[in-house]
Amino acid sequence: MALTRLDRDRYVLGDASAHVGFLNCERISERSHIHDWTVEPHYHEGLAQLFVFDTGTVDGMIDTRRQRLNGPALVWLPALCTHAFNYPKDMQGWVLTVPTSDIARLAERAAWIAPWIETPQILQGDPHQGVLSEALNLAKSIETEHEKHDEIRNSVLEARFLLLLGNLHRGLIQQAGSREPVGDRQTALVRQLQTCLDRHMPETRSVTDYAKMLSVTPTHLSRVTKAVTGKTVAEIIQDRVLLEAKRKLAFTDLPVSEIAYALSFSSPSYFTRFFAARMAETPKAFRQRSRAASV
């Protein structure tokens, strides 16, 4: 299989430092002469992307999972998320690319995005047609504004992009089922936890250690995290370790033993037990299956 690669020139224009405006907006067709409607596995550092698909079916891979996306659809990909797509010829849609520094700034004033902005999200299907129709119109308006070059361009783009994230957020709430509203302080605490996890994973996995970093008790941290995300801190930590393990198995040739130690497991056998308990297969079997599926 083609191993994943950090992309700075094929599927986006440069790295985060090259995106001096608020966002970059491209139609999927604009790079078809480069990728011939097939986007190989890759990821972006410092850049997040929102794909807005019009009608058509896209076969894709997001992290290690195969996905069939039936447009209209919205796909949110945070930085470092490996992805690949096989588009039908003449596929209509847009790719909006935003530096993660701007996403972090948006999250400070729009706390409602914090529970999901760090993980891939997909919204499609008949129950969401109203939201998706609005999203298509917003994408068209962003494309129009993107072509302008006056002093209010970035402000307008940011406002419309936030509206687009609002559409995705409402669709995700509908998709997951209604949860009891949580306060801004709770959401802010979870956002701080996510920042700590980004800085200290996989070396630090103790709920107590993260609670100390945030000056709260482990019980309070887990209770708030459960209310906001539906998962405890321990479950989130395990999910992150598992995701990183799956990425290393699928997209690198590192031996299982090296992956185990890189993820701070005390031994390869402990790592294998951890992985098998959650995936119902060994790391070796997962690697073979994921690579066979990509042939």
Side-chain angles (χ1 to χ4, degrees), residues 242 272-283 285-286 289:
L242 182 62
T272 296
R273 291 196 299 273
F274 168 87
F275 191 92
R278 289 155 182 80
M279 294 297 296
E281 60 183 339
T282 65
F286 173 83
R289 180 174 59 82

Side-chain angles (χ1 to χ4, degrees), residues 10-211:
R10 183 172 176 84
Y11 304 120
V12 297
L13 176 62
D15 57 19
S17 63
H19 290 250
V20 294
F22 172 72
L23 60 72
N24 185 60
C25 175
E26 287 188 320
R27 283 184 176 261
I28 292 170
S29 58
E30 287 184 39
R31 288 185 180 257
S32 62
H33 67 287
I34 298 175
H35 54 61
D36 194 26
W37 304 102
T38 298
V39 175
E40 296 176 352
H42 69 284
Y43 63 92
H44 308 291
E45 191 278 322
L47 297 170
Q49 293 184 304
L50 180 62
F51 289 75
V52 184
F53 295 139
D54 204 339
T55 55
T57 299
V58 179
D59 289 320
M61 180 185 70
I62 298 175
D63 280 328
T64 60
R65 297 186 61 185
R66 293 281 167 182
Q67 302 283 354
R68 172 151 287 195
L69 306 166
N70 297 303
L74 290 173
V75 178
W76 170 255
L77 300 178
L80 304 180
C81 174
T82 296
H83 53 284
F85 297 113
N86 288 320
Y87 297 115
K89 190 175 181 180
D90 299 324
M91 174 73 188
Q92 298 299 308
W94 296 265
V95 185
L96 307 178
T97 304
V98 183
T100 52
S101 57
D102 288 318
I103 297 298
R105 182 170 52 78
L106 284 181
E108 290 180 358
R109 52 184 264 235
W112 41 268
I113 70 175
W116 56 264
I117 202 71
E118 300 287 345
T119 55
Q121 305 292 338
I122 298 172
L123 189 71
Q124 61 178 332
D126 290 339
H128 310 296
Q129 288 304 306
V131 167
L132 294 171
S133 178
E134 290 181 21
L136 288 172
N137 289 331
L138 281 168
K140 293 174 185 176
S141 71
I142 287 172
E143 180 182 42
T144 300
E145 186 65 29
H146 190 259
E147 296 171 353
K148 299 177 181 179
H149 298 283
D150 57 22
E151 68 276 9
I152 67 169
R153 173 181 181 266
N154 277 347
S155 296
V156 175
L157 285 174
E158 182 171 323
R160 292 181 182 176
F161 182 75
L162 190 58
L163 284 172
L164 196 48
L165 291 184
N167 273 61
L168 176 57
H169 178 75
R170 285 174 171 164
L172 292 174
I173 290 176
Q174 181 183 10
Q175 187 167 262
S178 298
R179 280 206 189 107
E180 183 178 348
V182 295
D184 287 348
R185 288 184 180 179
Q186 292 177 309
T187 304
L189 180 61
V190 172
R191 187 165 67 248
Q192 292 168 359
L193 170 64
Q194 291 171 333
T195 299
C196 288
L197 289 169
D198 289 338
R199 292 174 178 171
H200 301 287
M201 284 288 292
E203 293 82 7
T204 302
R205 299 191 202 167
S206 167
V207 177
T208 300
D209 287 344
Y210 285 111

Side-chain angles (χ1 to χ4, degrees), residues 204-226:
T204 302
R205 299 191 202 167
S206 167
V207 177
T208 300
D209 287 344
Y210 285 111
K212 287 180 179 178
M213 294 178 196
L214 298 170
S215 301
V216 297
T217 67
T219 300
H220 178 71
L221 181 60
S222 285
R223 184 170 59 246
V224 170
T225 303
K226 179 79 171 180

